[in-house]
Amino acid sequence: MVRKTSNHSVLIVGNYCHDVLIQNGIVLAETLGGAASFISNVLNGLSISCNLIAKVGHDFKYETNYPPIVVSSSKTTVFHAYFDSISDPSGHQDRLLKRVCACDPIRPSDLPDAKFDYGMAVGVGGEILPETLEKMLEICNVVFVDIQSIIRVFNGVDGTVNLVSLKDSGFYHLLPKIGYLKASSDEALFMDVEELRKLCCVVVTYGKEGCEVYWRDGKVKISPFLAHQIDPTGAGDSFLGGFVTGLFQGLAVPDAALLGNFFGSMTVAQIGLPKFDSRVLQRVKDEVQTRKMSCGGRRGDELRFMKLAGHDQFHASLSAAKLVSACAIQECQQDLPNCPAMTGERGFVAQYNGQPKLLLNSVYEKSIQTVEGKP
């Protein structure tokens, strides 16, 4: 049965998840996960109208701005993220990701009977099917695909996440129809960028090194923003949310990618789904509007990939907006449990030491040490 809905600007397709963050055998946090949650968080903060299609099980634990489809016979997708005990000098922490439970896939019949400006295929647990992406291509003018949606495979014993070549994913034949393909630097190893840039625009993210945009006739490197990384979960998703927002607002691709880098850097400084200070969001909205006006809004294909005059100033303006967040950190230092911004300064264990970190009826079912040192 096709789900009817009113027209929206952006269609986001991907399941919500329960994320469990574990370090040194300690459950540090349980949070709302899934690329759809991070992306909608950015779009909602920037007042972009969207519709979200996600499936969850009867055990789903969160209230969201975009209610999911509840599958009564299934459980919600669960990921366990195991972090290294030691960070490198930059604060980077590697993680081992395991899918320990999977909800039902999203099928074409689950998608709305409506038209959208942009569609985003952003599954994390194998829930995007080729036929679902085909339906998105029919109802969306431009489709963005996060490569993790289509190249992830899962170990049948312990659920460890692995990757397969894009050509072996079952989705390769659809790539000439999509607008943008986004991949992390690790995921890019499983595709041929030089070949793919002839089919669609390819965006590769490099964490603290920023990102690079490839299209048929060229490429451009986009500068990063300084960030103290605590939890990398969702950084690429928030990047994609900022990137799509920029394009929807009429920015050139390099400016939109810069906005993506901004939200990626804001996300890594917090544990789980980030909370953005309302003053920061307003500053970003103002800067985007100013940039849009200075560049004359939407433009033809020849110029949309070019770094236009003022790009560096736009970067500086967004960097200044982050100072508002820094001020918020100082203001709430005396109220640590209620201050998500502090998570970027104190690390996992310091953030949760002595504070509740597990939901009632925890989704983590193993016997494991908690941050208080008790089983």
Short mmCIF file of all heavy atoms in Angstrom, two decimals, residues 12-14 34-36 38-39 95 119-128 133 136 143-152 163 166 169 171 175 178-185 187-188 191 201 203-205 234-241 244:
data_model
loop_
_atom_site.label_atom_id
_atom_site.label_comp_id
_atom_site.label_asym_id
_atom_site.label_seq_id
_atom_site.Cartn_x
_atom_site.Cartn_y
_atom_site.Cartn_z
N ILE A 12 13.81 11.46 2.81
CA ILE A 12 14.90 10.72 3.44
C ILE A 12 14.45 9.29 3.65
O ILE A 12 13.39 9.04 4.24
CB ILE A 12 15.28 11.35 4.80
CG1 ILE A 12 15.62 12.82 4.64
CG2 ILE A 12 16.44 10.59 5.43
CD1 ILE A 12 15.75 13.56 5.97
N VAL A 13 15.25 8.33 3.17
CA VAL A 13 14.87 6.92 3.26
C VAL A 13 15.99 6.14 3.95
O VAL A 13 17.12 6.05 3.44
CB VAL A 13 14.59 6.32 1.87
CG1 VAL A 13 14.18 4.85 1.99
CG2 VAL A 13 13.50 7.11 1.16
N GLY A 14 15.71 5.60 5.12
CA GLY A 14 16.69 4.83 5.88
C GLY A 14 16.17 4.58 7.29
O GLY A 14 15.50 5.45 7.87
N GLY A 34 21.26 5.74 13.19
CA GLY A 34 20.76 5.66 11.82
C GLY A 34 21.04 6.96 11.10
O GLY A 34 20.85 8.05 11.65
N ALA A 35 21.49 6.87 9.85
CA ALA A 35 21.80 8.07 9.08
C ALA A 35 20.60 8.99 8.97
O ALA A 35 20.73 10.22 9.00
CB ALA A 35 22.29 7.67 7.68
N ALA A 36 19.41 8.40 8.87
CA ALA A 36 18.20 9.21 8.73
C ALA A 36 18.00 10.14 9.92
O ALA A 36 17.54 11.28 9.76
CB ALA A 36 16.99 8.30 8.56
N PHE A 38 20.39 11.47 11.90
CA PHE A 38 21.37 12.56 11.87
C PHE A 38 21.03 13.57 10.77
O PHE A 38 21.14 14.78 10.97
CB PHE A 38 22.77 12.00 11.64
CG PHE A 38 23.36 11.34 12.85
CD1 PHE A 38 23.15 9.99 13.11
CD2 PHE A 38 24.13 12.06 13.74
CE1 PHE A 38 23.69 9.38 14.23
CE2 PHE A 38 24.69 11.47 14.87
CZ PHE A 38 24.46 10.12 15.12
N ILE A 39 20.64 13.07 9.60
CA ILE A 39 20.32 13.96 8.49
C ILE A 39 19.09 14.81 8.79
O ILE A 39 19.08 16.03 8.60
CB ILE A 39 20.12 13.15 7.20
CG1 ILE A 39 21.46 12.54 6.76
CG2 ILE A 39 19.54 14.01 6.08
CD1 ILE A 39 21.34 11.53 5.65
N ARG A 95 36.79 2.62 15.33
CA ARG A 95 35.72 1.83 15.90
C ARG A 95 35.48 0.58 15.06
O ARG A 95 35.73 0.57 13.85
CB ARG A 95 34.43 2.64 15.99
CG ARG A 95 33.90 3.09 14.63
CD ARG A 95 32.57 3.77 14.70
NE ARG A 95 32.11 4.12 13.37
CZ ARG A 95 30.89 4.50 13.07
NH1 ARG A 95 29.98 4.59 14.01
NH2 ARG A 95 30.55 4.79 11.82
N GLY A 119 15.85 13.35 -3.12
CA GLY A 119 15.70 12.10 -2.39
C GLY A 119 17.04 11.66 -1.84
O GLY A 119 18.07 11.87 -2.49
N MET A 120 17.04 11.03 -0.68
CA MET A 120 18.28 10.62 -0.02
C MET A 120 18.17 9.15 0.39
O MET A 120 17.39 8.81 1.29
CB MET A 120 18.56 11.51 1.19
CG MET A 120 18.58 12.99 0.86
SD MET A 120 18.93 14.05 2.30
CE MET A 120 20.66 13.64 2.58
N ALA A 121 18.93 8.29 -0.26
CA ALA A 121 18.99 6.87 0.09
C ALA A 121 20.11 6.70 1.10
O ALA A 121 21.29 6.70 0.73
CB ALA A 121 19.23 6.02 -1.15
N VAL A 122 19.76 6.54 2.37
CA VAL A 122 20.76 6.61 3.44
C VAL A 122 20.57 5.47 4.45
O VAL A 122 20.58 5.69 5.67
CB VAL A 122 20.71 7.99 4.14
CG1 VAL A 122 21.22 9.06 3.21
CG2 VAL A 122 19.30 8.33 4.62
N GLY A 123 20.44 4.26 3.96
CA GLY A 123 20.35 3.12 4.86
C GLY A 123 21.68 2.83 5.54
O GLY A 123 22.74 3.22 5.05
N VAL A 124 21.62 2.14 6.66
CA VAL A 124 22.84 1.77 7.38
C VAL A 124 22.92 0.27 7.65
O VAL A 124 24.00 -0.27 7.89
CB VAL A 124 22.96 2.52 8.73
CG1 VAL A 124 23.20 4.00 8.50
CG2 VAL A 124 21.71 2.30 9.60
N GLY A 125 21.79 -0.41 7.61
CA GLY A 125 21.76 -1.82 7.97
C GLY A 125 21.31 -2.74 6.86
O GLY A 125 20.80 -3.84 7.12
N GLY A 126 21.48 -2.31 5.61
CA GLY A 126 21.07 -3.13 4.48
C GLY A 126 19.60 -3.01 4.12
O GLY A 126 19.06 -3.84 3.39
N GLU A 127 18.93 -1.93 4.59
CA GLU A 127 17.48 -1.81 4.39
C GLU A 127 17.09 -1.20 3.05
O GLU A 127 15.90 -1.22 2.69
CB GLU A 127 16.85 -0.99 5.53
CG GLU A 127 17.25 0.47 5.57
CD GLU A 127 18.45 0.73 6.46
OE1 GLU A 127 19.29 -0.20 6.60
OE2 GLU A 127 18.57 1.83 7.01
N ILE A 128 18.05 -0.65 2.30
CA ILE A 128 17.73 -0.09 0.98
C ILE A 128 17.88 -1.19 -0.06
O ILE A 128 18.95 -1.78 -0.22
CB ILE A 128 18.67 1.08 0.64
CG1 ILE A 128 18.58 2.17 1.69
CG2 ILE A 128 18.33 1.63 -0.75
CD1 ILE A 128 17.24 2.87 1.77
N LEU A 133 15.44 1.95 -4.44
CA LEU A 133 16.17 3.06 -5.04
C LEU A 133 15.59 3.41 -6.40
O LEU A 133 15.49 4.60 -6.77
CB LEU A 133 17.66 2.71 -5.16
CG LEU A 133 18.56 3.79 -5.76
CD1 LEU A 133 18.43 5.10 -5.02
CD2 LEU A 133 20.02 3.31 -5.77
N MET A 136 12.68 5.58 -5.84
CA MET A 136 13.11 6.92 -5.46
C MET A 136 13.51 7.73 -6.69
O MET A 136 13.23 8.94 -6.78
CB MET A 136 14.28 6.85 -4.48
CG MET A 136 13.93 6.29 -3.12
SD MET A 136 15.36 6.26 -2.00
CE MET A 136 15.64 8.03 -1.77
N VAL A 143 18.57 12.47 -6.76
CA VAL A 143 18.74 11.49 -5.69
C VAL A 143 20.19 11.46 -5.24
O VAL A 143 21.12 11.41 -6.06
CB VAL A 143 18.31 10.07 -6.14
CG1 VAL A 143 18.66 9.03 -5.09
CG2 VAL A 143 16.80 10.05 -6.43
N PHE A 144 20.37 11.50 -3.92
CA PHE A 144 21.67 11.37 -3.27
C PHE A 144 21.75 9.96 -2.68
O PHE A 144 20.81 9.50 -2.03
CB PHE A 144 21.82 12.38 -2.14
CG PHE A 144 21.78 13.81 -2.57
CD1 PHE A 144 20.58 14.41 -2.94
CD2 PHE A 144 22.93 14.57 -2.60
CE1 PHE A 144 20.53 15.74 -3.34
CE2 PHE A 144 22.90 15.90 -3.00
CZ PHE A 144 21.68 16.49 -3.37
N VAL A 145 22.87 9.31 -2.88
CA VAL A 145 23.07 7.97 -2.32
C VAL A 145 24.31 7.98 -1.44
O VAL A 145 25.39 8.37 -1.89
CB VAL A 145 23.22 6.91 -3.43
CG1 VAL A 145 23.54 5.54 -2.82
CG2 VAL A 145 21.95 6.83 -4.27
N ASP A 146 24.14 7.57 -0.19
CA ASP A 146 25.29 7.32 0.67
C ASP A 146 25.75 5.90 0.36
O ASP A 146 24.97 4.95 0.50
CB ASP A 146 24.91 7.46 2.14
CG ASP A 146 26.12 7.46 3.05
OD1 ASP A 146 27.15 6.85 2.68
OD2 ASP A 146 26.04 8.05 4.14
N ILE A 147 27.01 5.74 -0.03
CA ILE A 147 27.48 4.45 -0.51
C ILE A 147 27.34 3.35 0.55
O ILE A 147 27.21 2.17 0.22
CB ILE A 147 28.94 4.54 -1.00
CG1 ILE A 147 29.29 3.34 -1.88
CG2 ILE A 147 29.90 4.69 0.15
CD1 ILE A 147 30.65 3.44 -2.56
N GLN A 148 27.32 3.73 1.85
CA GLN A 148 27.15 2.72 2.88
C GLN A 148 25.80 2.02 2.75
O GLN A 148 25.62 0.90 3.22
CB GLN A 148 27.30 3.33 4.28
CG GLN A 148 26.18 4.25 4.69
CD GLN A 148 26.37 4.80 6.09
OE1 GLN A 148 27.36 4.52 6.76
NE2 GLN A 148 25.41 5.60 6.54
N SER A 149 24.85 2.68 2.11
CA SER A 149 23.53 2.09 1.91
C SER A 149 23.58 0.86 1.00
O SER A 149 22.70 -0.01 1.09
CB SER A 149 22.57 3.10 1.27
OG SER A 149 22.44 4.25 2.04
N ILE A 150 24.59 0.81 0.14
CA ILE A 150 24.55 -0.19 -0.92
C ILE A 150 25.76 -1.13 -0.96
O ILE A 150 25.72 -2.12 -1.69
CB ILE A 150 24.38 0.49 -2.30
CG1 ILE A 150 25.49 1.50 -2.57
CG2 ILE A 150 23.03 1.19 -2.36
CD1 ILE A 150 25.38 2.20 -3.92
N ILE A 151 26.81 -0.85 -0.19
CA ILE A 151 27.97 -1.76 -0.23
C ILE A 151 28.25 -2.45 1.10
O ILE A 151 29.19 -3.24 1.19
CB ILE A 151 29.26 -1.04 -0.71
CG1 ILE A 151 29.73 0.00 0.31
CG2 ILE A 151 29.05 -0.42 -2.08
CD1 ILE A 151 31.14 0.53 0.01
N ARG A 152 27.45 -2.17 2.12
CA ARG A 152 27.67 -2.86 3.40
C ARG A 152 27.15 -4.29 3.35
O ARG A 152 26.06 -4.56 2.83
CB ARG A 152 26.96 -2.13 4.54
CG ARG A 152 27.72 -0.94 5.10
CD ARG A 152 27.02 -0.37 6.32
NE ARG A 152 27.83 0.62 7.00
CZ ARG A 152 27.48 1.25 8.11
NH1 ARG A 152 26.31 0.97 8.67
NH2 ARG A 152 28.28 2.15 8.66
N LEU A 163 32.58 -4.40 3.77
CA LEU A 163 32.21 -3.71 2.54
C LEU A 163 32.54 -4.56 1.33
O LEU A 163 33.49 -5.33 1.35
CB LEU A 163 32.95 -2.37 2.44
CG LEU A 163 32.79 -1.40 3.62
CD1 LEU A 163 33.66 -0.16 3.41
CD2 LEU A 163 31.34 -1.01 3.82
N LEU A 166 31.64 -1.80 -5.16
CA LEU A 166 30.41 -1.20 -5.65
C LEU A 166 29.86 -1.94 -6.86
O LEU A 166 28.64 -2.09 -7.03
CB LEU A 166 30.67 0.27 -6.00
CG LEU A 166 29.48 1.09 -6.49
CD1 LEU A 166 28.33 1.07 -5.50
CD2 LEU A 166 29.92 2.53 -6.76
N SER A 169 27.63 -4.81 -5.86
CA SER A 169 26.60 -4.48 -4.87
C SER A 169 25.18 -4.74 -5.34
O SER A 169 24.25 -4.81 -4.53
CB SER A 169 26.73 -3.00 -4.49
OG SER A 169 26.40 -2.17 -5.61
N PHE A 171 23.70 -2.54 -7.27
CA PHE A 171 23.15 -1.21 -7.50
C PHE A 171 23.86 -0.46 -8.62
O PHE A 171 23.43 0.63 -9.00
CB PHE A 171 23.26 -0.37 -6.22
CG PHE A 171 22.36 -0.79 -5.11
CD1 PHE A 171 22.73 -1.82 -4.24
CD2 PHE A 171 21.14 -0.16 -4.89
CE1 PHE A 171 21.91 -2.21 -3.20
CE2 PHE A 171 20.31 -0.55 -3.85
CZ PHE A 171 20.69 -1.57 -3.00
N LEU A 175 23.53 3.83 -11.04
CA LEU A 175 24.34 5.02 -10.76
C LEU A 175 24.23 6.12 -11.81
O LEU A 175 24.26 7.31 -11.46
CB LEU A 175 25.80 4.61 -10.56
CG LEU A 175 26.06 3.70 -9.35
CD1 LEU A 175 27.55 3.42 -9.21
CD2 LEU A 175 25.51 4.30 -8.07
N ILE A 178 21.49 8.59 -10.74
CA ILE A 178 21.51 9.36 -9.50
C ILE A 178 22.27 10.68 -9.72
O ILE A 178 23.00 10.83 -10.70
CB ILE A 178 22.13 8.57 -8.33
CG1 ILE A 178 23.65 8.45 -8.50
CG2 ILE A 178 21.49 7.21 -8.20
CD1 ILE A 178 24.34 7.88 -7.27
N GLY A 179 22.09 11.61 -8.78
CA GLY A 179 22.76 12.89 -8.90
C GLY A 179 24.10 12.92 -8.19
O GLY A 179 25.10 13.41 -8.74
N TYR A 180 24.13 12.37 -6.96
CA TYR A 180 25.32 12.47 -6.13
C TYR A 180 25.54 11.16 -5.37
O TYR A 180 24.60 10.56 -4.85
CB TYR A 180 25.18 13.60 -5.10
CG TYR A 180 25.04 14.97 -5.72
CD1 TYR A 180 23.79 15.43 -6.17
CD2 TYR A 180 26.14 15.81 -5.86
CE1 TYR A 180 23.66 16.70 -6.74
CE2 TYR A 180 26.01 17.07 -6.43
CZ TYR A 180 24.76 17.51 -6.86
OH TYR A 180 24.64 18.75 -7.42
N LEU A 181 26.80 10.75 -5.31
CA LEU A 181 27.20 9.59 -4.52
C LEU A 181 28.22 10.05 -3.49
O LEU A 181 29.24 10.64 -3.83
CB LEU A 181 27.83 8.52 -5.42
CG LEU A 181 28.31 7.24 -4.71
CD1 LEU A 181 27.11 6.41 -4.21
CD2 LEU A 181 29.18 6.40 -5.64
N LYS A 182 27.92 9.79 -2.21
CA LYS A 182 28.81 10.22 -1.13
C LYS A 182 29.47 9.00 -0.50
O LYS A 182 28.83 7.97 -0.27
CB LYS A 182 28.02 11.01 -0.08
CG LYS A 182 28.83 11.41 1.16
CD LYS A 182 28.52 10.46 2.29
CE LYS A 182 29.43 10.72 3.50
NZ LYS A 182 29.25 9.68 4.54
N ALA A 183 30.79 9.10 -0.23
CA ALA A 183 31.54 8.00 0.38
C ALA A 183 32.60 8.58 1.31
O ALA A 183 33.12 9.68 1.07
CB ALA A 183 32.20 7.14 -0.69
N SER A 184 32.92 7.84 2.36
CA SER A 184 34.07 8.19 3.19
C SER A 184 35.33 7.75 2.46
O SER A 184 35.28 7.00 1.48
CB SER A 184 33.97 7.51 4.55
OG SER A 184 34.16 6.10 4.40
N SER A 185 36.48 8.19 2.95
CA SER A 185 37.74 7.80 2.31
C SER A 185 37.94 6.29 2.36
O SER A 185 38.49 5.70 1.43
CB SER A 185 38.92 8.52 2.98
OG SER A 185 38.93 8.27 4.38
N GLU A 187 35.48 4.01 2.42
CA GLU A 187 34.52 3.41 1.50
C GLU A 187 34.92 3.64 0.05
O GLU A 187 34.63 2.81 -0.83
CB GLU A 187 33.14 4.01 1.76
CG GLU A 187 32.55 3.61 3.10
CD GLU A 187 31.39 4.48 3.52
OE1 GLU A 187 31.25 5.60 3.00
OE2 GLU A 187 30.62 4.04 4.41
N ALA A 188 35.62 4.74 -0.22
CA ALA A 188 36.04 5.06 -1.59
C ALA A 188 37.00 4.03 -2.15
O ALA A 188 37.17 3.92 -3.37
CB ALA A 188 36.66 6.45 -1.63
N MET A 191 35.43 1.55 -4.73
CA MET A 191 34.86 2.05 -5.98
C MET A 191 35.96 2.72 -6.79
O MET A 191 37.04 3.02 -6.28
CB MET A 191 33.74 3.06 -5.69
CG MET A 191 34.20 4.35 -5.03
SD MET A 191 32.82 5.42 -4.60
CE MET A 191 33.70 6.96 -4.22
N CYS A 201 28.02 12.94 -9.83
CA CYS A 201 28.93 13.68 -8.97
C CYS A 201 29.29 12.81 -7.77
O CYS A 201 28.41 12.19 -7.16
CB CYS A 201 28.26 14.97 -8.49
SG CYS A 201 29.27 15.94 -7.34
N VAL A 203 31.27 12.61 -4.04
CA VAL A 203 31.81 13.39 -2.92
C VAL A 203 32.48 12.42 -1.96
O VAL A 203 31.84 11.49 -1.47
CB VAL A 203 30.71 14.17 -2.19
CG1 VAL A 203 31.32 15.03 -1.08
CG2 VAL A 203 29.93 15.05 -3.16
N VAL A 204 33.76 12.63 -1.70
CA VAL A 204 34.51 11.78 -0.78
C VAL A 204 34.90 12.61 0.44
O VAL A 204 35.51 13.68 0.31
CB VAL A 204 35.78 11.20 -1.44
CG1 VAL A 204 36.53 10.31 -0.44
CG2 VAL A 204 35.41 10.40 -2.69
N THR A 205 34.53 12.14 1.62
CA THR A 205 34.86 12.85 2.86
C THR A 205 36.13 12.27 3.48
O THR A 205 36.34 11.07 3.46
CB THR A 205 33.70 12.75 3.86
OG1 THR A 205 33.39 11.37 4.13
CG2 THR A 205 32.44 13.43 3.31
N GLY A 234 27.92 9.25 12.81
CA GLY A 234 26.99 10.21 12.24
C GLY A 234 27.62 11.43 11.59
O GLY A 234 26.90 12.26 11.04
N ALA A 235 28.96 11.53 11.62
CA ALA A 235 29.60 12.72 11.04
C ALA A 235 29.33 12.82 9.55
O ALA A 235 28.99 13.89 9.03
CB ALA A 235 31.10 12.68 11.31
N GLY A 236 29.46 11.70 8.84
CA GLY A 236 29.19 11.70 7.41
C GLY A 236 27.74 11.96 7.10
O GLY A 236 27.40 12.57 6.07
N ASP A 237 26.86 11.51 7.99
CA ASP A 237 25.42 11.73 7.80
C ASP A 237 25.08 13.22 7.97
O ASP A 237 24.34 13.79 7.18
CB ASP A 237 24.61 10.90 8.79
CG ASP A 237 25.00 9.43 8.77
OD1 ASP A 237 25.26 8.90 7.67
OD2 ASP A 237 25.07 8.83 9.86
N SER A 238 25.64 13.82 9.01
CA SER A 238 25.42 15.25 9.22
C SER A 238 26.03 16.06 8.07
O SER A 238 25.47 17.08 7.65
CB SER A 238 26.03 15.70 10.55
OG SER A 238 25.32 15.14 11.65
N PHE A 239 27.18 15.60 7.56
CA PHE A 239 27.76 16.23 6.38
C PHE A 239 26.75 16.24 5.24
O PHE A 239 26.51 17.26 4.59
CB PHE A 239 29.03 15.50 5.94
CG PHE A 239 29.48 15.89 4.55
CD1 PHE A 239 30.33 16.97 4.37
CD2 PHE A 239 29.03 15.20 3.43
CE1 PHE A 239 30.72 17.37 3.09
CE2 PHE A 239 29.41 15.58 2.15
CZ PHE A 239 30.26 16.67 1.98
N LEU A 240 26.14 15.08 5.00
CA LEU A 240 25.20 14.96 3.89
C LEU A 240 23.98 15.85 4.11
O LEU A 240 23.45 16.45 3.17
CB LEU A 240 24.78 13.50 3.72
CG LEU A 240 24.16 13.07 2.39
CD1 LEU A 240 24.99 13.55 1.22
CD2 LEU A 240 23.99 11.56 2.36
N GLY A 241 23.54 15.97 5.37
CA GLY A 241 22.43 16.86 5.67
C GLY A 241 22.76 18.31 5.35
O GLY A 241 21.96 19.04 4.76
N VAL A 244 23.07 18.75 1.37
CA VAL A 244 21.79 18.82 0.69
C VAL A 244 21.09 20.15 0.99
O VAL A 244 20.49 20.77 0.11
CB VAL A 244 20.89 17.63 1.08
CG1 VAL A 244 19.47 17.83 0.59
CG2 VAL A 244 21.47 16.34 0.51
#
